Amino acid sequence: AGAATAVKLKAISGHYNHLLKVLLRQQQQQYMKEVEAVHACRRAVEEAVEEERKKSAELKEELHRVEKLTRIANKKNSSTQSKIAKETEQVRFLQTLNDTLIKGQKEAKDVGEGTSGGTGGRRETAAQDYEKKIGRLREEVARLMKQLDDGA
């Protein structure tokens, strides 16, 4: 009976070892599948991160390009504003000069009309007044030209 029991125990032990190996192999395969899934997931995340890095670099380049264009546009805008200011100042000067000349012409016309019918003394006084007005107008024109030169 002892030999039969030993054979049975050996058979049970062999069968148990076989089942244990099968279960361990299945468990190993399951873990390997899970490890492969984790690695695949990690690779996908790494690829997504790399793609986002590329997008970030492209966006940074685009941002630098836009900033450069903005600086150029601001410089052009500033230059244009400066030119507009200078042109506006020149227009004002020319308007003032034109008004002064028109005023001078009117005064000269008035002086000329006032002397046409009088005596020689009146003509002389009118001529002196006319010369004084011309002198004042020349001084005003010189002053305005100096302002224009100083402003430009």
Side-chain angles (χ1 to χ4, degrees):
T5 307
V7 171
K8 284 184 182 180
L9 281 175
K10 192 170 184 169
I12 291 173
S13 172
H15 186 63
Y16 176 78
N17 285 335
H18 174 72
L19 288 176
L20 188 60
K21 284 180 186 178
V22 169
L23 285 174
L24 287 175
R25 232 181 262 128
Q26 287 176 348
Q27 193 176 29
Q28 181 185 21
Q29 288 173 351
Q30 181 63 31
Y31 286 142
M32 292 303 287
K33 286 179 184 178
E34 288 178 13
V35 167
E36 286 177 22
V38 167
H39 285 304
C41 185
R42 189 192 86 216
R43 281 190 300 272
V45 168
E46 287 174 350
E47 289 172 3
V49 166
E50 185 59 30
E51 188 65 30
E52 291 301 318
R53 282 184 184 145
K54 287 179 184 177
K55 287 179 184 178
S56 176
E58 290 171 0
L59 287 174
K60 284 179 182 178
E61 288 177 19
E62 181 68 14
L63 178 63
H64 289 301
R65 188 182 70 76
V66 168
E67 287 174 343
K68 183 178 179 181
L69 290 174
T70 300
R71 285 191 300 273
I72 291 169
N74 286 339
K75 285 179 183 178
K76 285 182 180 180
N77 186 28
S78 177
S79 175
T80 303
Q81 291 293 345
S82 177
K83 288 177 183 178
I84 288 172
K86 287 178 183 178
E87 292 297 323
T88 302
E89 185 63 33
Q90 188 171 9
V91 166
R92 286 186 189 134
F93 165 75
L94 292 174
Q95 286 174 337
T96 304
L97 181 61
N98 189 38
D99 292 344
T100 303
L101 292 174
I102 289 171
K103 181 180 170 185
Q105 286 177 344
K106 185 176 183 219
E107 289 175 357
K109 182 180 177 186
D110 291 345
V111 167
E113 289 174 0
T115 61
S116 62
T119 64
R122 284 170 129 184
R123 283 188 186 179
E124 196 172 294
T125 305
Q128 288 173 350
D129 288 345
Y130 178 75
E131 288 300 321
K132 286 180 186 178
K133 288 179 183 180
I134 294 293
R136 282 195 306 265
L137 289 174
R138 286 185 178 154
E139 289 173 8
E140 190 169 347
V141 168
R143 182 182 55 82
L144 290 172
M145 290 299 285
K146 185 174 185 323
Q147 283 180 347
L148 181 62
D149 289 340
D150 290 345

